[in-house]
């Protein structure tokens, strides 16, 4: 499981360039929605906002993880089938991070219906003038359609339990934090680092190898 958590953290970090595209405008708007106050208070609001988002990720991961193991038990099937799916998803995410394939973006359309209901609720918490409002808005923000998040959720399906699914999504969410929290020159420097071809291809290769290993282990145990 520790290897899965490290892989999830890496995916969140390297895939957060997409988070900046999806959420950068939101982050900028939320900055304006925070009343004038000290930089320390704004930092606390930003951290609380992200805590809400990560909470939603963890809850979704727990639900999906529990659903996966329950479905396999009801069907009398082996969890190895879900591990096989997890390996395939890891390879798909590796291709996305390497920018060789953007099929994951199609998954975002599947979440548009949910977001149509969540977005009006989120507006009730503006302006973000308290930690309670920031956390509540973050909970809603976690439901923003994102192909990378949905793929990570699909991976959580094979985690084997609700707690493992939650941990996997929490690790993924933590990986996205630097891109969301950093601004200015620091954000630009991180963006350049993650955009460097060697960095992207090296990370993608590591994920693809781990995904292939996961598939190989699943097939080996099913056959033997």
């Amino acid at each position: 499981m520790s290897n899965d958590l490290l892989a999830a953290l890496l995916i969140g970090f390297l895939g957060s360039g997409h988070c900046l595209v999806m959420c950068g405008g939101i982050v900028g708007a939320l900055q304006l929605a925070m009343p004038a106050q000290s930089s320390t208070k704004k930092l606390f609001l930003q951290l609380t906002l992200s805590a809400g988002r990560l909470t939603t990720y963890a809850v979704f991961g727990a639900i999906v993880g529990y659903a996966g193991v329950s479905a396999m038990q009801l069907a009398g099937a082996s969890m190895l089938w879900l591990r096989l799916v997890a390996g395939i998803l890891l390879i798909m995410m590796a291709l996305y991070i390497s920018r060789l394939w953007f099929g994951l973006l199609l998954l975002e359309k599947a979440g548009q219906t949910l977001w149509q209901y969540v977005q009006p609720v989120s507006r009730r918490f503006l302006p973000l003038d308290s930690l309670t409002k920031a956390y509540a808005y973050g909970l809603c923000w976690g439901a923003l359609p994102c192909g990378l998040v949905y793929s990570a959720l699909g991976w959580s399906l094979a985690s084997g339990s609700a707690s493992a699914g939650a941990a996997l999504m929490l690790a993924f969410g933590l990986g996205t934090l630097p891109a969301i929290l950093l601004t200015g020159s620091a954000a630009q420097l991180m963006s350049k680092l993650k955009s460097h071809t060697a960095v992207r291809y090296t990370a993608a290769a590591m994920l693809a190898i781990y995904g292939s290993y996961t598939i190989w282990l699943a097939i080996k145990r099913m056959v033997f």
Side-chain angles (χ1 to χ4, degrees):
M1 185 61 191
S2 59
N3 288 336
D4 284 352
L5 293 179
L6 287 174
L9 191 70
L10 182 63
I11 290 168
F13 179 73
L14 292 169
S16 56
H18 179 58
C19 291
L20 287 176
V21 175
M22 288 290 295
C23 306
I26 293 178
V27 173
L30 293 179
Q31 288 279 3
L32 296 176
M34 294 178 184
Q37 51 194 300
S38 68
S39 57
T40 301
K41 288 184 178 180
K42 279 197 172 186
L43 176 60
F44 275 114
L45 284 172
Q46 290 171 348
L47 289 172
T48 305
L49 185 67
S50 290
R53 179 171 62 90
L54 266 61
T55 298
T56 297
Y57 287 174
V59 170
F60 283 171
I63 293 172
V64 170
Y66 178 77
V69 68
S70 298
M72 291 296 100
Q73 288 174 349
L74 285 173
S78 171
M79 285 294 294
L80 293 174
W81 287 105
L82 289 183
R83 291 300 295 173
L84 186 63
V85 173
I88 293 172
L89 284 170
L90 276 170
I91 293 175
M92 290 170 63
M93 286 187 271
L95 290 172
Y96 171 82
I97 288 173
S98 64
R99 300 182 184 176
L100 296 175
W101 180 70
F102 293 93
L104 293 183
L105 300 183
L106 297 175
L107 293 176
E108 291 171 9
K109 296 181 180 179
Q112 290 294 337
T113 302
L114 173 63
W115 183 241
Q116 288 174 3
Y117 292 101
V118 176
Q119 189 176 30
V121 175
S122 68
R123 291 171 182 161
R124 299 177 186 175
F125 305 115
L126 299 175
L128 301 179
D129 52 9
S130 71
L131 295 180
T132 301
K133 284 186 175 181
Y135 184 74
Y137 192 97
L139 291 174
C140 297
W141 185 9
L144 182 72
C146 175
L148 200 62
V149 172
Y150 294 160
S151 295
L153 279 173
W155 188 16
S156 298
L157 191 70
S159 61
S161 69
S163 59
L168 202 63
M169 288 305 297
L170 185 59
F172 168 80
L174 287 172
T176 67
L177 277 183
I180 298 297
L181 294 178
L182 292 180
T183 58
S185 58
Q188 291 177 2
L189 179 62
M190 180 174 289
S191 180
K192 287 181 180 179
L193 174 65
K194 290 187 296 184
S195 297
H196 195 282
T197 303
V199 173
R200 285 190 292 106
Y201 281 7
T202 299
M206 290 169 61
L207 287 176
I209 291 171
Y210 185 51
S212 300
Y213 178 68
T214 301
I215 292 172
W216 179 77
L217 278 182
I219 294 175
K220 179 183 177 182
R221 289 173 183 172
M222 284 190 288
V223 174
F224 301 103

